[in-house]
Amino acid sequence: MTNFWILMLVAITISTASQFYIKKKFGIDKSGWRYKHVSNTHKWTEIILLIVFVFSLSFFPVEYMLLLFFIVIDLLRIFMEWNYRPEDKQYMYHMIEVSLMSALLIYICLL
């Protein structure tokens, strides 16, 4: 369990550094720390996914479910932002997070 949280801390550090690099390279303006949903449907889909995640915690290990939740949420955000706001390029942030969380999930499953 301790290894999981250390790996999460490393993944968050890499993700933050990558976001700063992408922000400078592509000129992405990320205003504020709070996420702005593309549409009301997008917002409610994320709320439903959160409810499903909370209920599934009683059936599956927390580590796997946490990573899967982040992966699914970020994939949804990539899809919605790429289709409805491609000029903002915000989806690039989520692509980095999905790749890091997927690599982390694969690593944890192999242990």
Side-chain angles (χ1 to χ4, degrees):
M1 185 66 147
T2 306
N3 289 338
F4 171 74
W5 293 110
I6 291 171
L7 288 173
M8 283 295 286
L9 184 62
V10 169
I12 289 170
T13 304
I14 292 171
S15 174
T16 304
S18 300
Q19 286 180 3
F20 281 124
Y21 172 74
I22 286 179
K23 184 177 181 178
K24 291 203 183 260
K25 181 167 175 72
F26 293 105
I28 300 171
D29 179 36
K30 184 163 181 161
S31 55
W33 60 274
R34 192 164 177 212
Y35 182 72
K36 294 179 181 116
H37 294 91
V38 174
S39 66
N40 205 21
T41 305
H42 180 206
K43 180 173 122 180
W44 281 104
T45 306
E46 284 195 9
I47 290 171
I48 291 169
L49 284 173
L50 179 63
I51 292 169
V52 169
F53 166 71
V54 170
F55 283 123
S56 66
L57 285 176
S58 60
F59 301 108
F60 300 103
V62 175
E63 297 90 7
Y64 299 126
M65 290 310 299
L66 186 64
L67 289 172
L68 282 174
F69 174 71
F70 285 137
I71 290 170
V72 170
I73 288 291
D74 282 334
L75 285 173
L76 175 67
R77 288 179 176 179
I78 289 170
F79 175 76
M80 295 300 278
E81 290 173 0
W82 187 42
N83 281 328
Y84 298 106
R85 284 193 307 202
E87 66 279 353
D88 291 344
K89 300 179 188 174
Q90 294 284 335
Y91 59 89
M92 290 183 182
Y93 288 132
H94 303 294
M95 286 181 172
I96 291 172
E97 291 175 12
V98 165
S99 60
L100 283 172
M101 293 299 158
S102 298
L104 193 60
L105 182 65
I106 290 168
Y107 179 75
I108 289 174
C109 288
L110 292 177
L111 289 181

